[in-house]
Amino acid sequence: MQIVLSQEELSEGVARLARRVREDFGRQPVTVVGVLTGSIVLVADLIRSLDGPVRVGMVWASSYRGTDTTPGQLDLRLDLLPDLTGQHVLIVDDIFDTGRTLEGLLAELHKRGAASVRSLVLLRKTGRAAVPLAPTYVGFDIPDQFVVGYGLDFDGAWRHLPYLAALDADEIEAARRTLSAP
Ligand code: IMP
Ligand code: MG
């Protein structure tokens, strides 16, 4: 595994994002809507840096199937969402890859009467976008590699790493064999 972003770089990036969000929202409450499961570490760090009023809700989204590293059908579960009527919403996800997750979520959240809906991602992969939209806030633009750590997983593994690391093709193959072994 090759480290792409160290713990220090990640924490500086999250602090920078939090400052930009607070500048734009002013003293208005921010309703953070985290996208499970990949955003858990980012949400935990971001909300503690967002000086001022914050509410938190979660949704679940998945477009990966097990050991696939390319997106499949988007699956959304919105039943954990709080009432968003009149709220200033900030959707928070780990990574913007094709952008289909964010596109699907924005469409759903716009139906819920929010006063405004913005989006924040920690990472954006270069040259991968398949939708004509950009997140409002992006922490880091990274090369098109499969990355794990700081919430991001490969088939459920490595979310807990405090840094972000890239897996090469051989490591993905080896992990596929190990993770699928009984
Ligand atoms: P999108 O819908 O293609 O933008 O994909 C976004 C979702 O795919 C993210 O929320 C992640 O869960 C997952 N994803 C995309 N790229 C990676 C990666 O390199 N590592 C781990 N998960 C990823
Ligand atoms: Mg995700």
Side-chain angles (χ1 to χ4, degrees), residues 149-182:
Y150 201 75
L152 292 103
D153 73 308
F154 177 73
D155 199 24
W158 297 312
R159 286 194 203 280
H160 61 291
L161 299 177
Y163 49 82
L164 189 81
L167 296 181
D168 65 27
D170 291 344
E171 288 167 323
I172 290 174
E173 209 28 65
R176 226 173 235 143
R177 283 195 301 271
T178 326
L179 295 168
S180 60

Side-chain angles (χ1 to χ4, degrees), residues 22-36:
R22 191 44 86 186
E23 270 165 33
D24 290 354
F25 282 72
R27 299 308 296 168
Q28 284 168 336
V30 183
T31 300
V32 168
V33 173
V35 183
L36 293 168

Side-chain angles (χ1 to χ4, degrees), residues 38-86:
S39 77
I40 52 169
V41 182
L42 173 61
V43 167
D45 284 345
L46 183 74
I47 59 176
R48 287 177 294 171
S49 302
L50 275 178
D51 195 28
V54 174
R55 296 187 178 89
V56 182
M58 298 305 261
V59 294
W60 185 88
S62 178
S63 52
Y64 281 104
R65 291 291 167 270
T67 59
D68 283 353
T69 55
T70 48
Q73 182 74 28
L74 178 63
D75 195 359
L76 293 179
R77 291 191 210 157
L78 305 164
D79 40 306
L80 297 173
L81 264 185
D83 179 13
L84 299 180
T85 315

